[in-house]
């Protein structure tokens, strides 16, 4: 009875000071994501000057990189559940072990990604343009880009692991500063290498890839230098890398297996849907759809903000054993996410005005597709922000089953069959297909709401003594 009364007495919204604390965490993360997405937008802007085909080649390569980054992010998220709770419990050994877990698995997937992209790039990319009228030309350009961009694998791993670890202990400003510097480096070398300025050779799509390699490498070196100098609590010595706490690694793997399956099912579903969209025309479809994601990434930064703020705030409360406080924070954060999502819709609609400015070199058909897609994605923002908040609450307490249940069922039984049905039996264009299939978010929110009420996420993982060898 006391538990029921406790739940019912929680106010829908927290005090202003609570949201100020959440924004203090979220805004630098969003700013960092915005800076990183501006790199992508700048890349797209500069490459779009080469025409629809070359831009399409770069962007189908981006979809393969997307799969790699999703897998890496999933590994970091699983270890980050423990990193955050150990931070709340002030357990530095647990934090170091969580960091080592990220390194071991990050290095492994980077090696696989690099091998696949460099040995058979066309085979890796061919799925993305099946049925496209310009597939041969697009593949040729995509293979050139993918072979060079493969060299970013290890720098991306190091930067992602360092940045996520810093955010998980509440250090959100340094990743922002480093990302700004990397963006400036990337922009400069794009200008130099794509079009052959300052006496450099004109490398076109290879130049865009090489600029990214340089920027990513500089970013990774900056993160490593910061860790070496400032020695945050997760910082490790070379010997720590081989001092594995198998008990903790096993626990992280159990959490990671569920979240990895969930995230990869989502990523594969996204990749399949993009491939089917690309089959609804020629290079104008590929470039138009790709341009829309480059624009929408400017307001998709909301996801990183809500995920990080929720994970850090709720995770630290759980790590300190403050379960009732975590319960209140969950309610306050999710209701705040509703308001935030509506605000991001307004921002998303404003970004449509950027299309003719940033992508003026694309064909009129490509620009039209881009504008319509950005409009649809802006309307879905409240639902996406809210469900990201739900997933973050669940994962903060180590409950990765919810993600597998919600994303797994929807992608396997609704998204993938639904998109294949529309591709085969209808003449719908790519934007209409996208708008229809994304309606799956609403039943996902309903299922997640019911699941969170079971409070399987309300767990203090740090109290289980997993940091002891």
């Amino acid at each position: 009875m006391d538990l029921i009364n406790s739940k019912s007495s929680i106010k829908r919204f927290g005090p202003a000071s609570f949201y100020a604390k959440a924004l203090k965490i979220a805004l630098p993360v969003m700013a960092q994501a915005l800076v990183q997405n501006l790199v992508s937008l700048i890349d797209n802007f500069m490459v779009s000057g080469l025409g629809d085909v070359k831009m399409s080649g770069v962007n189908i390569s981006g979809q393969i990189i997307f799969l790699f980054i999703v897998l890496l992010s999933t590994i970091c998220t699983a270890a980050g559940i423990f990193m955050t709770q150990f931070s709340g419990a002030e357990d530095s050994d647990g934090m170091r072990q969580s960091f080592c877990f990220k390194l071991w698995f990050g290095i492994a997937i980077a090696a696989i990604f690099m091998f696949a992209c460099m040995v058979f790039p066309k085979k890796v990319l061919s799925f993305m343009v099946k049925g496209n009228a310009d597939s041969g030309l697009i593949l040729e350009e995509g293979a050139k880009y993918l072979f060079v961009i493969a060299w970013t694998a290890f720098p991306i791993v190091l930067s992602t692991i360092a940045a996520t670890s810093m955010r998980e202990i509440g250090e959100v400003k340094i990743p922002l500063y480093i990302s700004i510097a990397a963006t400036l480096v990337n922009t400069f070398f794009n200008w130099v290498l794509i079009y052959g300025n300052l006496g450099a050779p004109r490398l076109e799509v290879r130049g865009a890839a090489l600029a990214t390699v340089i920027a990513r490498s500089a970013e990774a070196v900056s993160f490593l230098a910061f860790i070496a100098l400032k020695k945050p609590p997760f910082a490790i010595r070379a010997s720590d890398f081989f001092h594995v706490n198998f008990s903790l690694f096993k626990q992280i793997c159990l959490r990671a297996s569920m979240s990895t399956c969930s995230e990869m099912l989502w990523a594969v579903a996204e990749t399949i849907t993009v491939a089917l969209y690309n089959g609804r025309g020629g290079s104008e479809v590929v470039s138009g759809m790709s341009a829309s994601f480059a624009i929408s990434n400017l307001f998709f930064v909301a996801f990183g903000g809500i995920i990080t703020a929720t994970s850090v705030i709720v995770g630290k409360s759980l790590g300190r054993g403050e379960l009732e406080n975590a319960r209140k924070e969950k309610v306050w954060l999710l209701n705040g996410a509703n308001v935030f999502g509506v605000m991001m819709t307004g921002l998303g609609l404003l970004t449509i005005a950027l299309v003719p400015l940033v992508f003026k070199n694309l064909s009129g058909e490509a620009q039209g597709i881009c504008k319509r897609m950005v409009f649809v994605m802006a309307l879905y923002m409240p639902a996406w922000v809210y469900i990201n908040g739900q997933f973050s609450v669940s994962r903060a307490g180590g409950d990765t089953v919810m993600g597998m249940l919600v994303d797994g069922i929807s992608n396997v039984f609704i998204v993938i069959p639904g998109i294949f049905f529309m591709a085969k039996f209808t003449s719908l264009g790519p934007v209409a297909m996208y708008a229809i299939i994304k309606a799956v978010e609403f039943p996902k929110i309903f299922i997640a709401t019911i699941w969170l009420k079971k409070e399987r996420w309300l767990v203090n993982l740090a109290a289980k003594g997993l940091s002891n060898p």
Side-chain angles (χ1 to χ4, degrees):
M1 182 64 71
D2 290 340
L3 181 62
I4 295 173
N5 290 336
S6 174
K7 289 182 184 180
S8 61
S9 64
I10 297 175
K11 295 180 180 178
R12 287 176 57 82
F13 292 93
S17 59
F18 172 79
Y19 291 108
K21 180 174 75 171
L23 286 172
K24 189 176 180 180
I25 297 169
L27 289 178
V29 175
M30 291 170 62
Q32 183 193 359
L34 180 62
V35 168
Q36 291 174 333
N37 291 334
L38 281 172
V39 172
S40 174
L41 189 62
I42 291 166
D43 279 352
N44 277 272
F45 167 69
M46 292 186 173
V47 174
S48 68
L50 303 174
D52 285 3
V53 170
K54 291 182 186 291
M55 183 175 173
S56 297
V58 170
N59 282 286
I60 62 169
S61 300
Q63 195 65 32
I64 305 303
I65 299 164
F66 163 74
L67 289 172
F68 164 63
I69 291 177
V70 167
L71 181 55
L72 174 61
S73 298
T74 303
I75 289 167
C76 290
T77 298
I81 294 168
F82 291 84
M83 178 77 80
T84 304
Q85 290 215 16
F86 284 134
S87 175
E90 299 183 354
D91 184 342
S92 57
D93 185 57
M95 285 186 270
R96 286 192 292 272
Q97 285 291 316
S98 300
F99 188 79
C100 286
F101 180 91
K102 295 181 183 183
L103 274 177
W104 274 103
F105 285 86
I107 289 170
I109 64 168
I112 295 168
F113 170 78
M114 195 170 182
F115 175 80
C117 292
M118 297 186 75
V119 176
F120 35 83
K122 285 189 179 180
K123 288 185 179 179
V124 171
L125 294 171
S126 59
F127 171 74
M128 297 304 303
V129 287
K130 280 190 176 179
N132 189 281
D134 300 317
S135 59
L137 296 172
I138 294 172
L139 271 178
E140 195 66 36
E141 297 299 325
K144 293 177 188 176
Y145 183 85
L146 193 62
F147 183 86
V148 179
I149 208 71
W151 290 98
T152 62
F154 289 103
I156 286 174
V157 165
L158 294 174
S159 296
T160 303
I161 290 171
T164 56
S165 298
M166 288 180 188
R167 290 198 294 263
E168 286 150 7
I169 66 169
E171 176 55 78
V172 292
K173 290 185 179 178
I174 294 301
L176 169 61
Y177 300 150
I178 292 175
S179 291
I180 290 173
T183 300
L184 295 175
V185 171
N186 190 79
T187 303
F188 173 74
F189 281 103
N190 266 334
W191 177 73
V192 170
L193 297 172
I194 293 176
Y195 294 105
N197 290 306
L198 298 181
R202 181 185 172 98
L203 299 177
E204 298 193 341
V205 296
R206 285 193 182 97
L210 185 55
T212 304
V213 172
I214 294 169
R216 285 292 195 175
S217 299
E219 183 182 46
V221 169
S222 300
F223 274 117
L224 292 176
F226 176 83
I227 292 172
L229 290 171
K230 296 298 183 180
K231 293 182 172 54
F234 59 77
I236 63 170
R237 300 181 299 271
S239 58
D240 292 330
F241 184 68
F242 301 100
H243 181 65
V244 175
N245 180 340
F246 289 102
S247 175
L248 177 58
F249 271 40
K250 180 181 177 182
Q251 290 295 324
I252 298 176
C253 282
L254 288 173
R255 311 288 174 181
S257 61
M258 285 292 184
S259 57
T260 299
C261 287
S262 168
E263 292 297 317
M264 290 312 295
L265 276 172
W266 169 75
V268 168
E270 288 290 303
T271 303
I272 290 171
T273 55
V274 168
L276 292 174
Y277 301 148
N278 290 346
R280 306 305 258 196
S283 59
E284 78 286 348
V285 171
V286 181
S287 58
M289 295 293 282
S290 299
S292 71
F293 286 107
I295 291 284
S296 61
N297 281 338
L298 298 180
F299 53 92
F300 281 1
V301 298
F303 305 149
I306 191 69
I307 288 169
T308 303
T310 303
S311 299
V312 171
I313 291 172
V314 175
K316 286 195 172 187
S317 291
L318 292 173
R320 290 190 295 263
E322 300 169 358
L323 303 189
E324 185 57 36
N325 199 41
R327 183 182 286 117
K328 286 191 299 184
E329 289 167 343
K330 168 246 182 183
V331 174
W332 294 347
L333 285 163
L334 290 182
N335 283 313
N338 274 327
V339 176
F340 192 49
V342 173
M343 293 169 60
M344 296 311 291
T345 289
L347 177 62
L349 294 173
L350 290 176
T351 62
I352 296 174
L354 293 174
V355 176
L357 299 175
V358 177
F359 297 111
K360 61 183 179 181
N361 292 314
L362 292 183
S363 64
E365 295 89 341
Q367 288 188 40
I369 290 170
C370 180
K371 288 178 182 178
R372 294 193 295 275
M373 273 292 291
V374 172
F375 178 78
V376 170
M377 287 188 278
L379 295 184
Y380 270 110
M381 279 303 293
W384 286 336
V385 170
Y386 190 78
I387 198 164
N388 271 280
Q390 289 180 309
F391 283 149
S392 299
V393 169
S394 175
R395 289 168 182 165
D399 178 13
T400 53
V401 176
M402 188 186 90
M404 181 62 191
L405 176 74
V406 175
D407 260 345
I409 289 176
S410 63
N411 285 314
V412 172
F413 295 104
I414 301 176
V415 174
I416 295 175
I419 203 71
F420 271 111
F421 177 86
M422 284 190 282
K424 186 172 179 62
F425 297 107
T426 76
S427 58
L428 292 171
V431 179
M433 292 169 69
Y434 184 91
I436 292 169
I437 207 64
K438 287 301 176 182
V440 72
E441 304 300 335
F442 299 106
K444 284 168 63 176
I445 289 172
F446 177 74
I447 296 169
T449 300
I450 294 173
W451 188 270
L452 286 178
K453 288 181 179 178
K454 299 178 184 294
E455 295 194 334
R456 298 187 181 186
W457 59 273
L458 204 66
V459 177
N460 181 352
L461 296 172
K464 294 185 177 182
L466 295 175
S467 60
N468 298 322

